């Protein structure tokens, strides 16, 4: 994992490679976790059980300064970040961050946050910048920074602190001046709140326990639980800005190369930009990087070059974090040879700071950047569609029909259903028969046809329907039940929310896609399907079921980031045969469904025999009822039918248990297959689906693959990118090279060059 | 002609070279050679055997030893080949190309022949939280009429 810190307006991603793997990163009270966003303080830091010490890469400073210790002696000292929405003084349109985090002693929030700010000419500090705590504006402290130091006795539990200002202002000013002296080249800076997922403990004992526990399960005493919002943000594969920069010097027959790779993760609403400066005393450009708030960065030296850091006197004019400087071209001091220092970046470069600011303020667009064409080339961005309206998510409709007249739909529980049929089949009661016939004279001799259908759904029907608030009597045609009740359905207007998850990539390369990795979905009552994994990877996958309670049909709606990409049809309602016609229809449906079944799921079901028994029982019962006709049967036959129905219900339950074992066996059996990775099948029909999986399962089938660890350095990755050869570094193989003008060698030499590059060279 | 002998420790498929000077000496071109593949007679010196690289100012080119030196009594024959990659490195750096493979500008999402697939699959299954309940569902009754 990468450790990250997050600030309200600025952040930095600590290079994971810098964290020794044998140690965890932990900080105990009394020790120091020193963190600076204004300088590359922890370019190379070490972690010990006593805390963290760092090797400063520039403008050295002791780990613990006297002023710092003064602050340490102030127990429970807190300051508060400037609110993100505060208004900035005239002429100030951005801030830079600097600061450190110190665990406090004793109970309470384990770190101190100091707030600094100053202004471009360094002539003074603001005296009217509001400081807030708990949403309330705090009284201004003084004419010089820091703006506010607040002493309180209790902030750990989030209770309101006192508003007493700390007295040792001079000590704080000392620290501020210390910072100021080291950051004097900065136009202005401001320290802001920093949050971190680096664990911070309430006691040193807890910290040591954490460090000593190799299992990573010891977390007692952590006082800064990870903010899930931040974790989610950082786990998403956001677009990275990057700078690939290399420096090559050729003179005196020696070659030195420096290489740097920066990656930046943008904040929520910020823009990263560069502007170009050509100092009057210099023969080369400097690019000044402006990192807005909410930005993270890591630096990843790569390759086998002999140095991986800037040489301060040659390559950097300033060493401030925010002012990373890059040479893009120069002539060496002796004018002997042109030095090529290619710069690759997708960060827009502007000709002046003013233009960069306009870009930040949306007065200019990225198309106004000096390197816009290069950005397009680097990114190979897809053109944005210019048709239709922007649509961030698929909006599905709802069934707005109301079932108020003509027919009525009722939702019944099992006991209500038994009650209903008990009442319906009171055929020994002539008064009932007459009442039922009178109420359904429209149906002639087939009064039972007034019962249009009866279906069973394996979920609470209220999840897909709006129901009457309470149960009422049931109307069959013009006949009203005396005892049986059910809840009337007003509308079939809801979709069943099945759930969602984030399908993250595993390799972060081509192996996450077909043909290396396949994605399948097992949709209860719809079947098993292969999905195109490229549509869903690195997206939130959501599934809803739309169910038609009239027909029992369902559609599984599969979304990726709220865009509906796939839908599969199925049959989720199983008909209960009330009449001979419905029984025949049901049998026909099952026959069709069985014929379409490939058998991957059904074959492993131990409940198959139970299923057969259950199905037979249901049919027998149904046929018995059908054979009777209303008022034409005998009590004995009716009892047989009811018994059969009951047996059928038991059989269903037993078969369901068997199905679980069957599915489990199926999963194990899959490992024996090489190709194809899974069988797919269409929808189930009738009761069959009830014996299959009852949860939506996603199955990822991944080929066993191998990508050599040294491939990138040794052989590169597939590229397809164009540009000057000098803009590449490391291995390069190209079969398409156009030598620049000015080649004075022979044809043989030209061919040799092209052949060598076609085979691969190292730059 | 004057020949500068070096020891180069970098492989020839790199654009850079690391030289250590071995000697500067005079030599004579064997007849029938060209500037790309010159054979140079020089006076025998065992130290020259430490060299694998040369620069000939008259030809304005760097050379690598295409074969080990041949020794003929008091003479050595240096068989050289012009190092085109290094001689034109600056021009090469300024030349346009479309990269097939690269260590710096690449996409890990392009299909790559280097990746090998072994037989068989690994399976990972993940379920969504909602579970249908066949044993405790709902009956839906549809009737004509109603109120």
């Amino acid at each position: 994992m990468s450790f990250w810190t997050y600030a309200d307006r600025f952040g930095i991603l600590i290079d994971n490679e810098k964290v020794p793997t044998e140690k965890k990163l932990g900080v105990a009270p009394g020790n120091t976790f020193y963190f600076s966003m204004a300088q590359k303080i922890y370019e190379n830091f070490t972690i010990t059980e006593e805390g963290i010490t760092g090797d400063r890469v520039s403008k050295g400073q002791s780990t613990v300064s006297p002023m710092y210790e003064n602050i340490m002696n102030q127990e429970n000292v807190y300051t508060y970040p400037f609110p993100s929405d505060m208004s900035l003084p005239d002429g100030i349109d951005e801030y830079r961050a600097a600061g450190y985090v110190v665990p406090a002693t004793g109970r309470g929030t384990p770190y101190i946050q100091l707030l600094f700010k100053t202004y471009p000419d360094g002539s003074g500090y603001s005296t009217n910048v509001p400081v807030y705590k708990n949403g309330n504006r705090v009284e201004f402290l003084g004419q010089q920074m820091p703006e506010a130091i607040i002493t309180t006795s209790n902030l750990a539990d989030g209770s309101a602190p006192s508003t007493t200002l700390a007295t040792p202002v001079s000590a704080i000013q000392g620290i501020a001046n210390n910072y100021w002296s080291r950051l004097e080249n900065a136009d202005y800076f401001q320290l802001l709140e920093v949050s971190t997922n680096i664990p911070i403990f309430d006691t040193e004992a807890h910290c040591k326990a954490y460090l000593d526990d190799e299992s990573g399960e010891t977390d007692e005493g952590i006082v800064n639980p990870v903010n899930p919002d931040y974790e989610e943000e950082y786990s998403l594969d956001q677009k990275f800005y990057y700078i690939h920069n290399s420096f090559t010097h050729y003179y005196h027959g020696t070659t030195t190369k420096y290489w740097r790779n920066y990656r930046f993760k943008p904040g929520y609403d910020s823009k990263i930009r560069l502007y170009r400066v050509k100092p009057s005393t210099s023969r080369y450009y400097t690019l000044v990087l402006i990192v807005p708030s909410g930005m993270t960065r890591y630096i990843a030296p790569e390759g086998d070059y002999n140095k991986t850091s800037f040489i301060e006197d040659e390559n950097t004019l300033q060493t401030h974090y925010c002012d990373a400087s890059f040479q893009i071209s120069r002539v060496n001091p002796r004018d002997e040879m042109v030095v090529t220092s290619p710069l690759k970046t997708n960060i827009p470069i502007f000709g002046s700071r003013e233009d960069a600011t306009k870009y930040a303020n949306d007065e200019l667009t990225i198309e106004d950047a000096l390197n816009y064409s290069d950005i397009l080339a680097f990114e190979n961005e897809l053109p944005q569609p210019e048709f239709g309206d922007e649509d961030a998510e698929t909006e599905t409709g709802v069934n707005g029909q109301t079932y108020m007249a003509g027919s009525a739909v009722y939702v019944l529980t099992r006991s209500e259903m038994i009650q209903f049929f008990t009442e319906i089949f009171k055929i020994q009661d002539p008064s009932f028969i007459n009442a039922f016939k009178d109420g359904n004279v429209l149906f002639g001799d087939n009064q039972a046809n007034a019962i249009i259908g009866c279906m069973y759904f394996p979920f609470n029907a209220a999840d897909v329907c709006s129901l009457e608030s309470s149960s009422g009597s049931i109307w069959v045609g013009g006949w009203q039940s005396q005892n049986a009740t059910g809840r009337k359905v007003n509308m079939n207007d809801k979709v069943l929310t099945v759930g969602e998850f984030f399908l993250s990539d595993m390799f972060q390369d081509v192996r996450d896609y077909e043909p290396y990795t396949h994605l399948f979905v097992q949709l209860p009552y719809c079947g098993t399907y292969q999905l195109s994994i490229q549509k869903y990877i690195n997206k939130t996958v959501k599934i809803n079921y739309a169910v038609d309670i009239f027909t029992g049909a369902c559609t599984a709606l599969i979304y990726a980031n709220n865009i509906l990409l796939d839908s599969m049809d199925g049959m989720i309602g199983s008909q209960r045969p009330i009449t001979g016609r419905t029984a025949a229809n049901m049998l026909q449906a099952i026959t069709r469904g069985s014929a379409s079944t490939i058998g991957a799921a059904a074959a492993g079901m131990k409940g198959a025999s139970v299923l057969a028994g259950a199905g037979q029982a249901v049919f027998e019962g149904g046929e018995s009822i059908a054979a009777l006709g209303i008022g034409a049967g005998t009590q004995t036959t009716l009892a047989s039918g009811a018994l059969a129905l009951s047996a059928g219900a038991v059989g269903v339950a037993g078969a369901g248990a068997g199905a679980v074992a069957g599915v489990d066996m199926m999963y194990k059996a899959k490992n024996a297959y090489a190709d194809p990775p899974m069988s797919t099948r269409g929808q189930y029909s009738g009761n069959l689906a009830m014996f299959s999986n009852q949860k939506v399962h996603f199955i990822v089938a991944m080929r066993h693959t191998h990508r050599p660890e040294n491939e990138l350095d040794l052989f590169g990755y597939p590229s397809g990118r164009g540009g000057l050869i000098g803009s590449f570094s490391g291995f390069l193989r190209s079969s398409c090279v156009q030598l620049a003008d000015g080649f004075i060698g022979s044809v043989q030499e030209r061919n040799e060059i092209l052949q060598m590059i076609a085979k691969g060279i190292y730059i | 002609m004057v020949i500068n002998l070096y020891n180069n420790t970098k492989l020839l498929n790199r654009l850079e070279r690391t030289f250590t000077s071995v000697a500067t000496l005079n030599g004579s071109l064997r007849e029938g050679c060209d500037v790309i593949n010159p054979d140079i007679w020089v006076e025998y010196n065992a130290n020259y055997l430490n060299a694998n690289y040369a620069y000939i100012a008259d030809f304005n080119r760097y050379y690598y030893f295409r074969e080990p030196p041949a020794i003929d009594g008091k003479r050595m024959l240096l068989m050289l080949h012009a190092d085109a990659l290094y001689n034109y490195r600056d021009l090469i750096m300024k030349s346009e190309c479309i990269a097939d493979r690269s260590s710096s500008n690449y996409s890990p999402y392009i299909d790559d022949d280097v990746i090998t697939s072994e037989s068989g699959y690994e399976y990972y299954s993940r379920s969504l939280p909602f579970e249908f309940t066949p044993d405790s569902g709902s009956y839906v009754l549809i009737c004509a009429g109603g109120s």
Side-chain angles (χ1 to χ4, degrees):
Chain A
M1 67 174 291
S2 294
F3 292 107
W4 53 262
T5 62
Y6 182 86
D8 187 30
R9 291 168 64 84
F10 192 88
I12 186 170
L13 185 66
I14 298 176
D15 186 353
N16 193 35
E17 294 179 4
K18 299 293 192 300
V19 180
T21 55
E22 68 273 16
K23 289 291 182 185
K24 301 167 187 174
L25 198 55
V27 183
N31 299 321
T32 60
F33 169 45
Y34 191 101
F35 177 73
S36 171
M37 291 184 291
Q39 289 185 293
K40 295 176 285 186
I41 295 297
Y42 280 108
E43 184 81 355
N44 299 293
F45 62 82
T46 58
I47 304 167
T48 68
E49 291 187 359
E50 284 70 43
I52 305 171
T53 58
D55 296 328
R56 308 305 199 277
V57 295
S58 62
K59 300 191 176 183
Q61 181 208 6
S62 63
T63 301
V64 180
S65 69
M67 291 77 168
Y68 180 80
E69 289 178 326
N70 286 339
I71 289 296
M72 286 290 294
N73 292 332
Q74 301 292 316
E75 287 191 359
N76 299 321
V77 176
Y78 301 91
T79 62
Y80 287 81
F82 294 106
S84 58
D85 59 348
M86 71 179 188
S87 57
L88 305 179
D90 292 342
I92 303 301
D93 56 6
E94 63 188 70
Y95 286 85
R96 292 175 186 162
Y100 53 84
V101 179
V102 182
T105 57
R107 180 171 175 267
T109 303
Y111 51 81
I112 298 170
Q113 295 169 341
L114 296 179
L115 308 179
F116 299 126
K117 71 181 296 293
T118 180
Y119 292 122
D121 60 5
S123 60
Y125 312 109
S126 170
T127 60
N128 58 356
V129 173
V131 180
Y132 288 77
K133 64 176 182 184
N134 292 353
N136 299 315
R137 184 166 175 164
V138 179
E139 186 177 349
F140 171 68
L141 177 65
Q143 293 299 309
Q144 289 191 333
M145 61 180 164
E147 299 293 354
I149 301 295
I150 304 160
T151 303
T152 183
S153 59
N154 184 6
L155 276 180
D157 57 3
S159 62
S162 73
T163 56
T164 306
L165 300 179
T167 53
V169 176
S170 58
I172 307 300
Q173 289 173 338
I175 292 178
N177 290 329
N178 189 4
Y179 265 89
W180 172 244
S181 66
R182 287 180 287 107
L183 297 173
E184 57 189 354
N185 290 329
D187 289 337
Y188 36 83
F189 63 95
Q190 172 183 337
L191 185 146
L192 298 164
E193 181 185 33
V194 176
S195 297
T196 177
N197 67 345
I198 299 171
I200 301 174
F201 295 86
D202 54 357
T203 66
E204 186 172 358
H206 284 150
C207 181
K208 285 189 173 181
Y210 170 80
L211 291 170
D212 292 339
D213 178 23
E214 295 182 354
S215 71
E217 297 175 353
T218 300
D219 57 1
E220 186 177 2
I222 292 180
V223 294
N224 61 330
V226 171
N227 185 325
D229 293 337
Y230 295 166
E231 282 290 295
E232 182 178 358
E233 286 295 331
Y234 280 79
S235 66
L236 297 179
D237 186 19
Q238 298 181 359
K239 173 185 178 182
F240 279 96
Y241 288 102
Y242 65 84
I243 297 176
H244 299 303
N245 199 28
S246 61
F247 302 92
T248 307
H249 298 199
Y250 295 110
Y251 57 93
H252 292 303
T254 61
T255 299
T256 308
K257 178 169 287 185
Y258 309 100
W259 193 89
R260 205 69 164 175
N261 179 10
Y262 292 82
R263 291 177 74 187
F264 300 87
K265 182 179 284 187
Y268 303 110
D269 57 355
S270 57
K271 294 179 177 177
I272 183 171
R273 66 264 189 202
L274 290 156
Y275 69 89
R276 191 175 65 177
V277 177
K278 188 173 185 181
S280 58
T281 57
S282 175
R283 305 182 67 171
Y284 52 87
Y285 287 112
T286 292
L287 291 179
V288 179
L289 176 67
I290 301 177
V291 182
S293 60
M295 186 73 68
T296 60
R297 180 188 85 153
Y298 76 79
I299 307 168
E302 297 177 13
D304 59 352
Y305 308 110
N306 50 0
K307 289 186 179 180
T308 56
S309 60
F310 285 124
I311 296 178
E312 192 168 334
D313 61 346
E314 287 191 344
N315 297 326
T316 62
L317 297 181
Q318 300 174 1
T319 56
H320 304 303
Y321 173 79
C322 295
D323 275 358
S325 303
F326 309 96
Q327 285 179 234
I328 55 175
S329 65
R330 61 166 290 193
V331 176
N332 76 17
R334 299 189 177 191
D335 289 343
E336 291 174 335
M337 202 171 292
V338 173
V339 175
T340 304
S341 298
L343 177 88
K344 280 278 192 183
T345 180
N346 61 350
I347 299 171
I349 302 174
F350 294 90
S352 66
R353 184 177 190 127
E354 288 71 26
D355 283 352
T357 303
K358 288 180 180 177
Y359 167 69
N361 295 333
D362 292 329
E363 296 171 19
L364 293 178
T365 70
I366 197 170
E367 296 179 10
D368 298 310
L370 298 174
N371 60 334
Y372 177 63
S373 59
D374 290 337
I375 292 173
L376 290 183
F378 294 159
E379 296 296 304
N380 195 22
E381 290 183 344
L382 296 173
Q384 294 295 312
E386 295 182 353
F387 53 87
D389 300 325
E390 283 191 4
D391 191 7
E393 59 184 55
T394 303
E395 294 183 5
T396 53
V398 296
N399 178 9
Q401 296 181 81
T402 56
Y403 307 130
M404 303 300 291
S407 60
V409 184
Y410 303 91
V411 171
L412 283 69
T413 63
R414 185 189 300 267
S415 60
E416 286 174 331
M417 179 60 80
I418 293 172
Q419 177 72 31
F420 172 74
F421 280 107
T422 300
E423 185 170 346
I424 280 287
F425 294 127
K426 286 193 298 186
I427 52 180
Q428 77 281 19
D429 182 351
S431 63
F432 162 78
I433 296 173
N434 291 333
F436 193 88
K437 290 175 66 176
D438 291 345
N440 293 285
V441 292
L442 287 176
F443 296 90
D445 292 335
N446 295 315
Q447 297 92 341
N449 284 345
I451 302 175
I452 297 173
C454 178
M455 273 185 290
Y456 180 73
F457 291 88
F459 56 87
N460 185 349
D463 290 340
V464 297
C465 298
S466 295
L467 306 178
E468 293 281 355
S469 57
S470 59
S471 295
S473 58
I474 297 171
W475 286 83
V476 181
W479 174 83
Q480 182 180 12
S481 67
Q482 301 302 307
N483 299 314
T485 58
R487 292 178 69 186
K488 194 173 181 184
V489 174
N490 291 329
M491 297 174 73
N492 182 189
D493 57 349
K494 301 176 187 175
V495 293
L496 200 59
T497 303
V498 174
E500 65 180 35
F501 74 103
F502 187 81
L503 180 62
S504 54
D505 52 5
M506 297 185 68
F507 297 106
Q508 298 181 342
D509 63 25
V510 67
R511 289 173 293 172
D512 288 315
Y513 297 86
E514 296 166 357
Y516 302 102
T517 302
H518 302 269
L519 176 65
F520 295 85
V521 62
Q522 293 175 326
L523 298 164
Y525 306 93
C526 291
T528 301
Y529 298 91
Q530 180 170 2
L531 300 175
S532 179
I533 194 169
Q534 53 261 41
K535 294 195 291 188
Y536 295 97
I537 198 162
N538 285 327
K539 293 182 175 65
T540 298
V541 183
K542 179 178 71 176
I543 289 190
N544 290 340
Y545 270 59
V547 178
D548 179 358
I549 60 166
F550 264 97
T551 64
C554 66
T555 300
L557 307 169
I558 310 177
Y559 297 80
N561 284 357
N562 292 321
I563 302 292
L564 178 61
L565 295 183
D566 283 304
S567 59
M568 313 298 180
D569 293 333
M571 183 64 70
I572 196 167
S574 57
Q575 294 195 48
R576 313 299 299 197
I578 306 300
T579 67
R581 177 176 297 176
T582 54
N585 290 344
M586 182 177 174
L587 181 61
Q588 189 178 21
I590 290 176
T591 304
R592 282 200 305 267
S594 300
S596 66
T597 300
I598 294 174
M605 295 178 184
K606 290 182 176 179
S609 59
V610 185
L611 164 68
Q616 188 178 8
V618 170
F619 292 148
E620 285 176 351
E623 287 171 353
S624 297
I625 296 172
L628 288 173
I630 296 298
T634 65
Q635 187 173 359
T636 304
T637 312
L638 171 66
S640 172
L643 182 64
L645 272 171
S646 175
V650 173
V652 168
V660 174
V663 171
D664 185 46
M665 288 178 60
M666 181 183 72
Y667 286 159
K668 291 177 181 175
K670 281 176 206 146
N671 287 314
Y673 300 142
D675 195 22
M678 273 190 65
S679 297
T680 58
R681 55 154 295 144
Q683 69 184 52
Y684 303 86
S685 295
N687 293 317
L688 281 177
M690 294 187 189
F691 302 102
S692 185
N693 50 305
Q694 299 301 316
K695 281 187 170 184
V696 171
H697 287 268
F698 283 89
I699 295 175
V700 176
M702 307 173 71
R703 274 191 179 279
H704 295 287
T705 57
H706 181 65
R707 184 168 213 167
E709 291 183 2
N710 59 353
E711 180 190 359
L712 184 60
D713 292 335
L714 190 65
F715 196 44
Y717 284 168
S719 172
R721 310 291 170 88
L724 296 178
I725 289 177
S727 66
F728 293 82
S729 60
F731 181 82
L732 169 68
R733 190 177 79 180
S734 171
S735 53
C736 179
V737 177
Q738 177 67 48
L739 288 181
D741 291 340
F743 179 72
I744 57 173
S746 65
V747 172
Q748 181 183 348
E749 288 175 306
R750 173 185 172 279
N751 290 338
E752 277 187 26
I753 292 170
L754 298 181
Q755 287 172 7
M756 291 197 73
I757 299 175
K759 291 180 180 176
I761 61 173
Y762 293 89
I763 301 172
Chain B
M1 63 181 60
V2 177
I3 304 165
N4 300 95
L5 292 183
Y6 301 101
N7 183 281
N8 166 47
T9 57
K10 292 291 185 182
L11 292 177
L12 297 176
N13 61 352
R14 294 177 181 269
L15 269 187
E16 54 191 80
R17 304 283 178 262
T18 301
F19 301 139
T20 303
S21 179
V22 174
T24 300
L25 65 156
N26 285 309
S28 58
L29 191 67
R30 192 175 74 167
E31 286 187 12
C33 299
D34 60 49
V35 71
I36 306 299
N37 296 289
D39 295 341
I40 310 290
W41 286 109
V42 299
E43 208 171 287
Y44 174 79
N45 185 325
N47 186 41
Y48 300 164
L49 297 174
N50 295 322
N52 63 359
Y53 211 78
Y55 177 73
I56 301 177
D58 289 349
F59 298 158
N60 192 28
R61 279 175 169 84
Y62 287 91
Y63 295 88
Y64 57 82
F65 285 26
R66 70 176 192 270
E67 291 181 39
I71 300 171
D72 179 14
K74 294 183 179 180
R75 295 192 305 171
M76 298 173 68
L77 184 64
L78 308 180
M79 291 168 280
L80 310 177
H81 183 77
D83 187 353
L85 206 59
Y86 188 65
N87 287 325
Y88 301 101
R89 61 193 180 281
D90 292 330
L91 183 134
I92 290 171
M93 294 286 273
K94 291 187 287 187
S95 299
E96 294 277 354
C97 78
I98 297 175
D100 302 328
R101 303 186 70 91
S102 167
S103 296
S104 60
N105 294 354
Y106 57 83
S107 169
Y109 296 99
I110 300 175
D111 203 4
D112 188 351
D113 293 339
V114 174
I115 298 174
T116 53
S117 290
E118 301 170 6
S119 60
Y121 287 88
E122 198 70 43
Y123 292 87
Y124 301 94
S125 177
R126 183 162 186 168
S127 63
L128 295 183
F130 183 86
E131 183 171 11
F132 292 99
T133 53
D135 55 345
S136 60
S138 298
Y139 294 87
V140 172
L141 180 68
I142 307 168
C143 301
S147 64

